């Protein structure tokens, strides 16, 4: 017994009026995972097949398969053929199973062989359908708070999570064999979800604990639906795929709430973080004083009595409030960016001992050596460049040997003539007769 795919144009409305049956799925809603096939226009007056045997599919009957549906042909409780491809199929009792796997590929064939669904026995013949669409809107909620260590708060917190998740059937034969109750002809996810929900919540706690270990802040958990789906997939998918033929598709967190103790810890931590800002503390102090003045003005015994009482209280508390305010002002002033001081570049000189000294220092404060005389410039005899080292920086010519200066007019003497062109004593022009 098997099915043969037929040409769509050959199947028309007239099939419903013939003795053969036209079968399509019964009501299949968004949460339906399994339903039986029913005859089209079974009670129509135009249908002449009113004496057909119940649960017997006539040879040549046509079966409709719509998108995202998996159809199984069952004989005596055993699956003898199936298809995951949309279209029209003709039942042929003389053919072997055709097994149109569609997008499910070879994995569904392996399941068919492994579980050994095949085999024809006399008995009831039925058509069943499994929904391959994403089954959405499965609600969940944690009955007990889940512990969550948050590194930012450095505390063990406890949260409750509520939301929805969705599943997708990836191996419909395995799902039919393991998840669908026997003798049921219509199953919604809610009918079989109790066991899966317990397993889901157990995996949810493990996934949330893993997020905690990965350093995700507790306040970010509600916006981490995609990451949470990945964590859940890592924990549940392999097990659910192998044992039930389904997997977690997505997880949506609708709300995150904390137990009373965790709420107190979070508020205390947030308040401490805010009061760590001196400007916030100063505002808090000034606000407290303003509230005191407002309360004094609305005193039931008269504002004068209130202000007198407030004055007495302020005398005792003014010192504390003033100290707080002064400390806040100092911290705010210290936290303001200070203008950068312009660096004053002062020429200096380096002593032979390695100490850096200012130009105004005549002696080295480290070793007491006198500041050396500035190097005298000399004119290169080759290119005329002015230099202060031993070689010309332009052409590399070595510095000429020093010649002693002796003015032949006034007798003034100097060890090195350097760059002088006139005698500093009498103003006589220097020539070769003045050099020795």
């Amino acid at each position: 017994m098997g099915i043969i795919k037929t040409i769509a144009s050959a199947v028309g409305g007239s099939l419903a009026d013939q003795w053969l049956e036209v079968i399509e799925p019964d009501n299949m809603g968004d949460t339906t995972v399994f339903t039986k096939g029913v005859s089209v226009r079974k009670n129509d007056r135009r249908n002449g097949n009113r004496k057909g045997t119940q649960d017997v599919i006539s040879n040549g009957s046509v079966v409709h398969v719509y998108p995202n549906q998996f159809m199984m042909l069952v004989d005596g409780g055993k699956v003898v053929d199936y298809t995951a491809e949309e279209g029209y199929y003709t039942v042929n009792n003389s053919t072997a199973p055709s097994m149109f796997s569609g997008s499910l590929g070879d994995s569904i064939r392996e399941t068919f062989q492994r579980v050994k669904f095949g085999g024809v026995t006399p008995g009831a013949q039925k058509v069943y359908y499994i929904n391959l669409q994403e089954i959405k809107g499965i609600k969940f909620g944690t009955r007990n708070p889940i512990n969550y260590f948050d590194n930012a708060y450095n505390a063990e917190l406890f949260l409750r999570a509520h939301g929805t998740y969705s599943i997708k059937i990836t191996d419909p034969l395995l799902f039919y064999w393991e998840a669908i109750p026997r003798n049921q002809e219509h199953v919604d996810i809610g009918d079989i979800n109790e066991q899966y929900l317990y397993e889901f919540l157990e995996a949810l706690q493990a996934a949330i604990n893993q997020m905690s270990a990965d350093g995700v802040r507790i306040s970010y958990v509600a916006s981490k639906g995609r990451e949470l789906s990945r964590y859940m997939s890592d924990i549940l998918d392999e097990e659910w795929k192998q044992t039930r033929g389904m997997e977690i598709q997505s997880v949506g967190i609708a709300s995150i709430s904390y137990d009373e103790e965790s709420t107190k810890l979070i508020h205390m931590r947030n308040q401490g973080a805010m009061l760590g800002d001196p400007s916030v503390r100063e505002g808090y102090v000034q606000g407290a004083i303003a509230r005191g003045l407002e309360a004094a003005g609305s005193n039931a015994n008269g504002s004068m009595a209130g202000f007198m009482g407030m004055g007495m209280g302020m005398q005792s508390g003014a010192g504390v409030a003033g100290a707080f305010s002064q400390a806040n002002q100092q911290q705010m002033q210290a936290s303001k960016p200070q203008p950068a001081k312009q660096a004053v570049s002062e020429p200096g000189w380096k002593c032979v001992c390695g100490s850096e000294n200012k130009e105004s220092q005549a002696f080295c404060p480290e070793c007491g050596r006198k500041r050396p005389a500035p190097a005298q410039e000399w004119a290169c005899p080759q290119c005329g460049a002015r230099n202060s080292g031993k070689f010309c920086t332009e052409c590399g010519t070595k510095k000429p040997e020093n010649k002693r200066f002796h003015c032949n007019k006034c007798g003034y003497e100097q060890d090195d003539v350097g760059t002088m062109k006139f005698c500093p004593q009498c103003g006589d022009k220097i020539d070769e007769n003045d050099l020795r």
Side-chain angles (χ1 to χ4, degrees):
M1 184 176 184
I3 54 175
I4 300 175
K5 195 167 187 179
T6 60
I7 301 174
S9 61
V11 180
S14 61
L15 287 173
D17 298 331
Q18 299 177 7
W19 293 100
L20 300 178
E21 294 175 300
V22 177
I23 301 172
E24 63 179 18
D26 199 1
N27 180 36
M28 183 176 283
D30 293 338
T31 59
T32 302
V33 294
F34 177 81
T35 190
K36 66 178 180 178
V38 295
S39 297
V40 177
R41 298 179 180 176
K42 180 179 180 180
N43 298 319
D44 195 322
R45 288 181 300 175
R46 295 184 301 166
N47 188 356
N49 186 11
R50 296 176 178 273
K51 296 182 180 181
T53 304
Q54 186 178 6
D55 293 338
V56 173
I57 302 174
S58 303
N59 187 33
S61 295
V62 175
V63 181
H64 292 180
V65 180
Y66 297 107
N68 288 318
Q69 290 181 350
F70 179 86
M71 185 275 291
M72 300 180 299
L73 189 61
V74 179
D75 190 351
K78 295 184 179 181
V79 179
V80 294
D81 207 348
Y82 63 82
T83 180
E85 299 179 18
E86 59 185 277
Y88 298 127
Y89 295 84
T90 301
V91 177
N92 191 332
N93 291 331
S94 63
T95 63
S98 302
M99 298 184 295
F100 297 100
S101 299
S103 61
L104 296 177
D106 294 334
S107 60
I108 194 71
R109 293 178 182 269
E110 294 176 4
T111 301
F112 188 90
Q113 298 299 329
R114 184 175 69 251
V115 185
K116 298 185 183 303
F117 286 103
V120 180
T121 58
Q125 298 171 346
K126 296 182 180 181
V127 174
Y128 290 117
Y129 295 86
I130 290 179
N131 192 353
L132 297 183
Q133 283 186 323
E134 181 182 6
I135 309 300
K136 305 175 183 177
I138 308 173
K139 295 183 179 180
F140 71 88
T142 54
R143 294 176 176 84
N144 299 314
I146 299 175
N147 61 305
Y148 195 101
F149 184 83
D150 193 308
N151 292 322
Y153 292 106
N154 195 28
E156 191 81 31
L157 305 175
F158 295 87
L159 61 84
R160 290 185 175 90
H162 295 83
T164 60
Y165 70 98
S166 66
I167 65 168
K168 190 174 181 64
I169 298 170
T170 56
D171 191 335
L173 286 178
L174 185 59
F175 182 80
Y176 168 71
W177 188 258
E178 297 292 344
I180 300 300
R182 299 284 79 90
N183 301 321
Q184 294 292 320
E185 295 188 334
H186 186 92
V187 178
D188 279 346
I189 188 62
D191 299 331
I192 58 175
N193 190 47
E194 182 176 3
Q195 174 65 30
Y196 306 141
L197 181 60
Y198 282 118
E199 295 179 14
F200 175 87
L201 292 176
E202 182 180 352
L204 177 66
Q205 178 163 356
I208 288 179
N209 288 340
Q210 185 60 48
M211 294 180 74
S212 170
D214 291 345
V216 178
R217 289 195 59 172
I218 194 170
S219 56
Y220 296 160
V221 174
S223 62
K224 297 290 184 179
R226 182 172 299 178
E227 288 84 347
L228 194 57
S229 299
R230 177 172 55 82
Y231 283 110
M232 296 291 290
S233 299
D234 294 341
I235 297 170
L236 272 183
D237 273 1
E238 202 59 38
E239 178 184 351
W240 279 12
K241 280 181 181 179
Q242 293 179 0
T243 59
R244 283 133 186 176
M246 63 182 186
E247 64 181 21
I248 294 290
Q249 194 73 6
S250 64
V251 179
I253 304 294
S255 64
I256 292 287
S257 60
Y258 312 108
D259 68 347
E260 185 177 354
E261 291 300 321
S262 298
T263 302
K264 289 180 180 178
L265 285 173
I266 292 172
H267 288 169
M268 181 177 66
R269 170 67 172 77
N270 292 340
Q271 187 179 33
M274 291 180 62
L275 292 179
D277 187 337
S279 60
V280 175
R281 287 201 308 271
E282 179 62 15
Y284 183 83
V285 171
Q286 298 300 329
I289 295 174
R291 288 191 295 272
L293 292 171
E294 182 179 0
S298 59
N299 191 291
N301 297 322
S303 60
M304 184 59 68
F307 281 116
M308 290 178 62
M310 183 178 178
M312 295 174 61
M314 288 184 66
Q315 288 182 0
S316 60
V320 177
F324 282 162
S325 183
Q326 184 177 4
N328 294 334
Q329 294 291 345
Q330 290 176 352
Q331 289 191 22
M332 286 189 290
Q333 186 65 30
S335 62
K336 288 183 179 179
Q338 300 295 327
K341 296 182 178 180
Q342 295 182 351
V344 179
S345 58
E346 181 179 349
W349 57 279
K350 186 175 183 180
C351 182
V352 293
C353 70
S355 175
E356 296 287 347
N357 304 294
K358 296 179 181 180
E359 184 66 24
S360 57
Q361 293 176 315
F363 296 90
C364 175
E366 295 295 330
C367 63
R369 288 187 177 90
K370 186 177 181 180
R371 182 185 64 185
Q376 294 183 346
E377 290 186 345
W378 55 276
C380 177
Q382 296 294 331
C383 64
R386 310 296 298 183
N387 305 281
S388 58
K390 295 181 179 181
F391 294 89
C392 176
T393 58
E394 294 293 332
C395 64
T397 301
K398 187 177 180 180
K399 177 183 177 181
E401 295 182 0
N402 293 337
K403 292 185 178 181
R404 182 175 179 79
F405 169 69
H406 179 83
C407 183
N408 57 6
K409 184 177 182 180
C410 66
Y412 176 78
E413 292 185 347
Q414 185 172 312
D415 291 339
D416 187 3
V417 69
T419 58
M420 294 189 304
K421 295 182 180 181
F422 298 92
C423 176
Q425 188 69 26
C426 65
D428 184 42
K429 187 175 182 179
I430 300 175
D431 53 24
E432 293 294 331
N433 298 324
D434 299 317
L435 300 179
R436 298 181 182 180

